[in-house]
Amino acid sequence: MSGTHSALVLTIGGVALFMLGMKIAAEHLQIIASDRIRDIVTTLARKPLWGIGLGIGLTMILQSSGAVTTLLVGLGAAGVITLPQVMSVILGSAIGSTLTVQVLSFDIAKFGLPVFGMFFFVHFISRNRTVKNASAAIMGFGLIFYGLEVIKLGTMSLQDAEHFKSAIQVLNENPLYALLVTAFFTAIVHSSAVTISIGMSLAAHGLIGMDDAVWWIFGANIGTTATALIAATGGNYVGRQVAWAHTFYKIAGVAIFVPLAQLTIDLISMGEIQRDIANFNTIYNLFTAALFLPFVKKGAGIVEQLFPPSKEERQFSVKYLSKKDWESPSVVVAHAEREALRMGDIVNSMIEDSLRLFEKDDPELIENMRRRDDRTDLLFRELNLYLAQQIERAPEGMRTQMLK
């Protein structure tokens, strides 16, 4: 193969196959999971430890921590979740991204094409929808492994190209450049696993050492934040908060771990550089997740202060519902009544505007009414959640009185 195509073509083609495989696997795993993902997120994200497990699971399904954060940004923009609910999911998604790198660090690339071919026929022959989706997902993983094999062939040939060796040498001598370049590349390909896999291939051929590879890992982890930041553009304040919380977490994690990098390398060194890179990536993400977990509520509060809702967004957010642990039944009912009346005013304004549409077609007014309808749904959900939480937190003797 290397005799028919140039080293650059092989490397680019391998990256393309790798990314295509991830896309196919993620799409069909999402189809299998169906709408359960949204329900699971809104249910489990409220418990920090469950949230970490959820983040790991979602990253395994979506094959990208950036994609998980983008999902959270979308749910935040839709008013389904709030930032404090998903902070632990963000931590878990970082851990989940390491599992793909761990798998790729083993010598499994040679099985990629056989796996793809075998399950292609299963997908082609089967008429069962679940079997077709499952086989397509496995085909995707086969393409990922095959893409990795092609990348290795390309980088093996590139080690003889003087210009390429010079460029890698510049990155090796300037760690900050390596971090910025790998972060930028990860932002383009939307996957830290792709960047780290290329780094593992270069390391296997002796083009970069372990000391250089750690900067590829740091850059890849920071680069994953770009996907969510782009998704949050034009969204509401909750989406912006989720995206920037993810960004601050990644940058802070790198800043804290840089002084510990050499010590970690010395402790985990096994002599197999691909495994060492994967293990370093895992330890880094586990360490930062454990470090930040006790501070997720405080961190969420800081981000919420930095990115508050705009005046228009504040109009449709919860205004009267108290966030205290528990209040007397009369106070709870009073808060709920005020919020319900405010929601009624919004609905009344929608009815009045709908009558205007009989007189004149106004696309902007229609869009404005749709936004108000979405926000009213949000207020309704928050009102129900508030009442349920207050009843749950109330002393045993008070619950009957509140239900009445």
Side-chain angles (χ1 to χ4, degrees):
M1 182 186 294
S2 57
T4 359
H5 300 291
S6 69
L8 185 60
V9 169
L10 281 174
T11 305
I12 294 174
V15 171
L17 287 170
F18 192 108
M19 293 172 63
L20 177 62
M22 293 189 77
K23 184 174 185 294
I24 292 173
E27 284 179 351
H28 287 87
L29 285 171
Q30 285 183 75
I31 292 172
I32 294 171
S34 190
D35 294 330
R36 299 184 190 94
I37 290 179
R38 176 172 171 155
D39 296 335
I40 291 171
V41 169
T42 54
T43 302
L44 296 184
R46 299 186 182 97
K47 301 176 180 179
L49 290 178
W50 283 104
I52 287 181
L54 175 61
I56 294 172
L58 286 176
T59 307
M60 292 175 66
I61 293 174
L62 302 179
Q63 290 299 301
S64 169
S65 60
V68 173
T69 314
T70 301
L71 170 66
L72 299 178
V73 167
L75 293 176
V80 177
I81 57 173
T82 60
L83 178 62
Q85 292 175 341
V86 299
M87 286 293 288
S88 60
V89 182
I90 293 173
L91 303 186
S93 69
I95 297 172
S97 66
T98 68
L99 299 178
T100 302
V101 176
Q102 282 287 351
V103 172
L104 296 175
S105 68
F106 292 98
D107 187 21
I108 56 173
K110 59 187 177 183
F111 301 112
L113 204 55
V115 167
F116 176 81
M118 184 187 308
F119 283 92
F120 170 80
F121 285 106
V122 174
H123 178 78
F124 185 78
I125 295 170
S126 176
R127 292 293 177 265
N128 183 284
R129 186 181 298 273
T130 303
V131 173
K132 287 182 76 70
N133 285 322
S135 57
I138 299 174
M139 283 167 54
F141 285 109
L143 274 181
I144 291 173
F145 301 150
Y146 181 58
L148 184 60
E149 183 178 19
V150 177
I151 290 172
K152 285 181 177 178
L153 287 172
T155 53
M156 182 172 63
S157 302
L158 280 173
Q159 65 182 329
D160 299 323
E162 289 301 323
H163 292 299
F164 182 76
K165 287 171 65 176
S166 299
I168 295 297
Q169 186 62 32
V170 170
L171 296 183
N172 292 344
E173 293 172 357
N174 300 274
L176 183 58
Y177 290 174
L179 186 146
L180 293 175
V181 169
T182 52
F184 180 73
F185 180 75
T186 304
I188 293 174
V189 300
H190 303 302
S191 172
S192 60
V194 175
T195 305
I196 297 174
S197 294
I198 293 175
M200 288 193 297
S201 296
L202 294 174
H205 299 310
L207 292 173
I208 65 173
M210 189 62 201
D211 292 342
D212 309 311
V214 299
W215 294 99
W216 286 61
I217 293 170
F218 292 149
N221 277 273
I222 291 176
T224 57
T225 64
T227 308
L229 288 173
I230 294 170
T233 305
N236 72 351
Y237 69 99
V238 179
R240 292 193 298 272
Q241 289 172 354
V242 172
W244 280 105
H246 182 227
T247 302
F248 292 150
Y249 164 62
K250 287 292 188 178
I251 294 175
V254 168
I256 291 171
F257 204 79
V258 164
L260 304 174
Q262 190 58 55
L263 176 62
T264 306
I265 292 172
D266 295 339
L267 289 174
I268 68 170
S269 181
M270 299 168 52
E272 297 180 27
I273 194 163
Q274 293 189 98
R275 296 288 304 124
D276 291 343
I277 291 172
N279 290 336
F280 184 96
N281 183 49
T282 300
I283 291 172
Y284 155 71
N285 280 286
L286 285 172
F287 175 85
T288 52
L291 182 66
F292 284 98
L293 181 60
F295 307 104
V296 289
K297 289 186 178 179
K298 183 171 286 188
I302 293 173
V303 174
E304 286 175 332
Q305 289 179 356
L306 291 173
F307 299 94
S310 64
K311 184 177 180 181
E312 181 183 357
E313 290 169 333
R314 195 175 288 111
Q315 176 186 356
F316 295 107
S317 61
V318 173
K319 187 175 181 180
Y320 299 113
L321 302 186
S322 171
K323 300 299 182 183
K324 295 180 181 178
D325 288 340
W326 183 78
E327 294 179 311
S328 66
S330 58
V331 175
V332 169
V333 171
H335 286 320
E337 285 179 347
R338 293 182 73 187
E339 203 66 64
L341 288 171
R342 179 167 167 264
M343 185 170 60
D345 289 339
I346 297 173
V347 173
N348 187 58
S349 71
M350 292 169 58
I351 294 172
E352 291 176 353
D353 287 342
S354 67
L355 296 176
R356 291 169 52 193
L357 293 175
F358 286 101
E359 301 172 1
K360 180 184 177 181
D361 184 30
D362 189 342
E364 289 187 8
L365 181 60
I366 293 173
E367 183 60 32
N368 183 274
M369 289 176 62
R370 284 175 179 164
R371 286 199 299 269
R372 278 181 282 174
D373 179 61
D374 291 340
R375 300 303 180 185
T376 305
D377 291 340
L378 167 62
L379 290 177
F380 180 71
R381 284 195 296 269
E382 288 293 327
L383 184 58
N384 284 339
L385 179 61
Y386 167 75
L387 290 172
Q389 288 175 339
Q390 292 295 332
I391 291 171
E392 183 180 344
R393 293 169 181 168
E396 191 66 35
M398 292 283 190
R399 290 184 184 177
T400 306
Q401 180 182 350
M402 292 181 71
L403 290 170
K404 288 180 180 179

